[in-house]
Amino acid sequence: MQKPRFFFAWIISAVVMFTLSYFWHGEVLNDFERIKYPHTTFLSLATIVYLGISLVLTILNTFFESKKKPIGKGIVLGLVLGLFVYLVTFVLGISFNSTPKLEYIALDVSWQLFEQGLGGLITGIVFDYFHVREKMLA
């Protein structure tokens, strides 16, 4: 029963995180107006990135042993991964803002933690659902 759990957690968390990112950067901040190349290219690359982030999150949730319930473990792993992703993008200079100020950095890292934390929550919920389902079917 491992495959459906993994697949659903991976895809659903990727969709949720991508949707949150699209809403944040496209609607709230209007960052998409600053993109100088085709939006379809950006969205295609963003889709690949979020599938990758979600894949890593789901793999971590699958193999990381913890005494915490799957939902709590998913949130913690999402927060840690969110901080890591933010630090990588910050160090590489991948940002919509060319001159980051402390307020923007704090807001961006908070949003990244929220986004990936919610992705971790989704993987935890899916894992917990399949765990309960397996118990009921046994």
Side-chain angles (χ1 to χ4, degrees), residues 3-127:
K3 289 180 183 181
R5 174 176 79 165
F6 186 91
F7 179 77
F8 282 116
W10 173 38
I11 298 302
I12 293 170
S13 66
V15 168
V16 167
M17 290 187 294
F18 178 85
T19 303
L20 285 171
S21 177
Y22 186 89
F23 173 74
W24 179 251
H25 292 288
E27 299 298 323
V28 175
L29 299 178
N30 294 323
D31 285 335
F32 292 164
E33 294 174 7
R34 297 183 198 152
I35 298 174
K36 301 197 184 332
Y37 47 89
H39 287 192
T40 55
T41 302
F42 171 78
L43 293 174
S44 297
L45 292 173
T47 300
I48 293 168
V49 166
Y50 277 99
L51 283 170
I53 291 171
S54 182
L55 180 63
V56 169
L57 184 56
T58 307
I59 289 170
L60 288 174
N61 209 343
T62 301
F63 294 108
F64 187 71
E65 293 292 325
S66 173
K67 293 183 181 182
K68 293 184 178 194
K69 300 222 180 235
I71 294 172
K73 179 175 77 168
I75 293 170
V76 170
L77 290 171
L79 292 172
V80 171
L81 185 61
L83 182 60
F84 178 76
V85 167
Y86 180 78
L87 291 174
V88 167
T89 59
F90 185 75
V91 168
L92 294 177
I94 303 170
S95 175
F96 290 108
N97 194 346
S98 58
T99 55
K101 296 180 182 167
L102 188 56
E103 303 90 42
Y104 296 141
I105 292 171
L107 186 62
D108 281 346
V109 74
S110 297
W111 180 260
Q112 197 72 35
L113 290 172
F114 171 74
E115 194 176 283
Q116 262 71 66
L118 194 58
L121 172 67
I122 297 298
T123 60
I125 289 171
V126 171
F127 277 44

